[in-house]
Amino acid sequence: MPSFKVTVAYDGTGLVGWQRQASGVSVQGLLEHALAELDGRHVPVAGAGRTDAGVHALGQVASFSLDRDIDAATLVRALNAHLPETVRALTAEYVGTAFHARFDASRKSYQYRIWCGEALNPFERFYVWHVPVRLDPDAMDTAARQLEGSHDFAAFQTAGSEPETTERTVFSSRVSGVDDPDARGRLILYDVTGDGFLRHMVRAVAGTLVEIGRGRYASEWMTAVLESRDRARAGQNAPAQGLFLMRVEY
Amino acid sequence: MPSFKVTVAYDGTGLVGWQRQASGVSVQGLLEHALAELDGRHVPVAGAGRTDAGVHALGQVASFSLDRDIDAATLVRALNAHLPETVRALTAEYVGTAFHARFDASRKSYQYRIWCGEALNPFERFYVWHVPVRLDPDAMDTAARQLEGSHDFAAFQTAGSEPETTERTVFSSRVSGVDDPDARGRLILYDVTGDGFLRHMVRAVAGTLVEIGRGRYASEWMTAVLESRDRARAGQNAPAQGLFLMRVEY
């Protein structure tokens, strides 16, 4: 009974997210459907990050065990033959049966993408949050770095899940800007790596960073929000479509 | 009667191309529809490049004259309010009434994008030609440079239009490769600038470059095809969806 770790990329537009739901198309559901075709039975699939509806991934990781033995390259090809073009298996490797994509993950990296420019670049329309005012990426970067380290991130958590602890370690939290002269705008990228994230945490941080970037608050406000542990003080949750799960490490 | 030069970006997926057709949605038709709303009459719009169905643009240029006087920034906003999200006016400026987007263009730049990797990056699925074998970008670049200069490009023209001459000047013709480790593949970019292009010329060159990149022919084959002036010797026309009109200069 071979077990596999598979890296998956998907365009989350129109999907209900990673997790199977009562209705709508989920990445987990699509993978389980494809694996049922391959293995002739229901194959439960675990995912490293339960991305929300509309969130994208370049490096989601899924794990599962099959009855049938199959080599890794053939598995990638067979999965892609049964998946829609919006979801692609990128790599597969054998792992021990004890491996679990979520419980064994030690670091996850997300990127949040913001488009600044009066007109929204049509090629980015499903992959950014469009903020049509000038943002200051240096102020945003100064603020983002204040989240590095081990902290109680309760201020950036959406109620609804009840984790045992709201403490997380953020290894890196940085903002950079990329001018796109062809499309008359600037892409602002927020890259964050941590040992785990609370529900909507990256989106709440991105919303707070935009408040700082547009000059409504100084960079130090990030620390004040963090220390308050009060969700009401952080910015709005930035829209799902700007968020990408980039990488999961084990 | 003010005249305008407007830069336009569009995602060509699902469009019939720049030019109005008997049926289907065209960029010219969308702009004329938006301008009729603004100006209360039919406004004929000229475009620098008549991009085919499925071809994209980051820097198409359109020209037209209005009855109504309107400042350039307001024009951009008003156009975008009447255009779908797939088509965006980026900039507008006043020009003399004699200005014509096509006849006055002195240089046009196109980019052709190829994705090499077994699985197609889902975010590139409408914006590249997927070639799932290894390509040699150095051999492709050596071949591409052989097109620089003034030549008879008849070998790279699709019959159907009858231009007065098939001689064109190519100022720059280069290939570069960008590895994308996150998506397990490589983007190969063909960038070309010329004083004008024959029908399907960039796509025929891209098709020929891929034959060279996969090792079916040596780089010198490009010169042999060019000098033959025989369309049957060049590669297939690469698919429309990998082609971008990047810039038009005057």
Side-chain angles (χ1 to χ4, degrees):
Chain A
M1 194 160 178
S3 294
F4 291 95
K5 171 184 173 224
V6 172
T7 313
V8 183
Y10 46 88
D11 181 336
T13 312
L15 299 177
V16 298
W18 165 263
Q19 206 159 16
R20 235 182 304 98
Q21 306 282 336
S23 69
V25 180
S26 66
V27 183
Q28 188 183 37
L30 288 167
L31 286 170
E32 292 182 347
H33 179 82
L35 288 168
E37 299 279 327
L38 294 181
D39 212 42
R41 60 172 192 110
H42 176 70
V43 177
V45 174
R50 283 176 292 185
T51 54
D52 291 320
V55 172
H56 314 289
L58 271 170
Q60 173 72 281
V61 173
S63 62
F64 50 84
S65 298
L66 297 180
D67 274 347
R68 186 182 150 188
D69 203 3
I70 183 169
D71 72 272
T74 306
L75 175 61
V76 168
R77 269 193 298 274
L79 276 173
N80 287 333
H82 289 94
L83 288 168
E85 251 194 335
T86 50
V87 181
R88 293 288 90 180
L90 300 178
T91 61
E93 58 187 279
Y94 281 103
V95 286
T97 42
F99 178 82
H100 190 284
R102 183 147 66 98
F103 303 137
D104 292 342
S106 58
R107 287 170 175 244
K108 291 178 196 167
S109 298
Y110 284 90
Q111 183 174 79
Y112 196 91
R113 307 172 86 241
I114 298 160
W115 178 260
C116 296
E118 188 167 312
L120 172 58
N121 178 345
F123 303 100
E124 296 289 354
R125 68 194 191 280
F126 298 125
Y127 310 119
V128 293
W129 178 18
H130 182 204
V131 178
V133 300
R134 270 194 90 74
L135 297 178
D136 177 351
D138 294 332
M140 294 169 76
D141 185 52
T142 303
R145 288 169 188 253
Q146 294 168 26
L147 300 179
E148 294 180 353
S150 296
H151 306 286
D152 181 341
F153 285 95
F156 302 102
Q157 174 182 232
T158 296
S161 60
E162 303 302 334
E164 275 178 47
T165 165
T166 48
E167 179 145 324
R168 293 290 182 277
T169 299
V170 167
F171 303 111
S172 172
S173 171
R174 305 288 164 97
V175 171
S176 54
V178 185
D179 285 329
D180 184 344
D182 285 324
R184 308 275 166 167
R186 174 187 265 180
L187 208 48
I188 305 247
L189 305 175
Y190 171 51
D191 284 288
V192 60
T193 299
D195 63 352
F197 294 89
L198 303 173
R199 185 160 183 240
H200 294 170
M201 176 171 150
V202 182
R203 292 166 57 190
V205 171
T208 307
L209 286 169
V210 164
E211 296 293 295
I212 290 166
R214 73 204 308 167
R216 201 166 289 172
Y217 298 92
S219 298
E220 296 68 40
W221 188 57
M222 186 61 89
T223 297
V225 172
L226 176 68
E227 290 177 351
S228 76
R229 305 200 288 162
D230 176 4
R231 178 64 190 87
R233 296 200 63 192
Q236 63 166 311
N237 284 341
Q241 67 169 36
L243 185 60
F244 286 69
L245 173 54
M246 298 299 286
R247 226 173 343 273
V248 185
E249 291 162 79
Y250 293 89
Chain B
M1 193 164 179
S3 294
F4 291 95
K5 172 185 173 224
V6 172
T7 312
V8 183
Y10 46 87
D11 181 336
T13 312
L15 298 177
V16 298
W18 165 263
Q19 206 159 16
R20 236 182 301 100
Q21 307 281 335
S23 68
V25 179
S26 66
V27 184
Q28 188 184 37
L30 287 168
L31 286 169
E32 291 182 349
H33 179 82
L35 288 168
E37 299 280 327
L38 294 182
D39 212 42
R41 61 175 191 108
H42 176 69
V43 178
V45 174
R50 283 176 293 185
T51 54
D52 291 320
V55 172
H56 313 288
L58 272 169
Q60 172 72 281
V61 174
S63 61
F64 50 83
S65 298
L66 298 180
D67 274 348
R68 186 183 149 188
D69 203 2
I70 183 170
D71 72 273
T74 306
L75 175 61
V76 168
R77 269 193 297 273
L79 276 173
N80 286 333
H82 288 95
L83 288 167
E85 251 194 335
T86 51
V87 181
R88 292 287 91 178
L90 300 178
T91 60
E93 58 187 282
Y94 280 104
V95 287
T97 43
F99 179 83
H100 189 283
R102 182 147 66 98
F103 303 137
D104 292 342
S106 58
R107 288 169 173 245
K108 291 178 195 167
S109 298
Y110 284 91
Q111 183 174 80
Y112 196 89
R113 308 172 87 240
I114 298 160
W115 178 261
C116 296
E118 189 167 313
L120 173 57
N121 179 344
F123 303 101
E124 296 289 354
R125 68 194 190 280
F126 298 125
Y127 310 118
V128 293
W129 178 18
H130 182 204
V131 179
V133 299
R134 269 194 90 73
L135 297 178
D136 177 351
D138 294 332
M140 294 169 77
D141 186 52
T142 303
R145 287 170 189 252
Q146 294 167 28
L147 300 179
E148 294 180 352
S150 296
H151 305 287
D152 182 340
F153 284 95
F156 302 101
Q157 174 182 232
T158 297
S161 59
E162 303 302 336
E164 275 178 45
T165 165
T166 48
E167 179 144 323
R168 293 290 183 277
T169 298
V170 166
F171 303 112
S172 172
S173 172
R174 306 287 165 95
V175 170
S176 55
V178 185
D179 285 330
D180 184 344
D182 285 323
R184 308 277 167 165
R186 173 188 264 179
L187 208 48
I188 305 248
L189 305 175
Y190 171 50
D191 284 288
V192 60
T193 299
D195 63 353
F197 293 88
L198 303 172
R199 185 160 183 241
H200 295 170
M201 177 170 149
V202 181
R203 292 166 56 189
V205 170
T208 307
L209 287 169
V210 164
E211 296 294 294
I212 291 165
R214 74 203 307 167
R216 200 167 289 172
Y217 298 93
S219 297
E220 297 68 40
W221 187 57
M222 186 63 88
T223 297
V225 171
L226 177 69
E227 289 176 351
S228 75
R229 306 200 288 165
D230 176 5
R231 179 64 189 87
R233 297 200 65 195
Q236 63 165 313
N237 285 340
Q241 69 171 35
L243 185 59
F244 285 70
L245 173 54
M246 298 298 286
R247 223 172 347 270
V248 185
E249 291 162 78
Y250 293 89

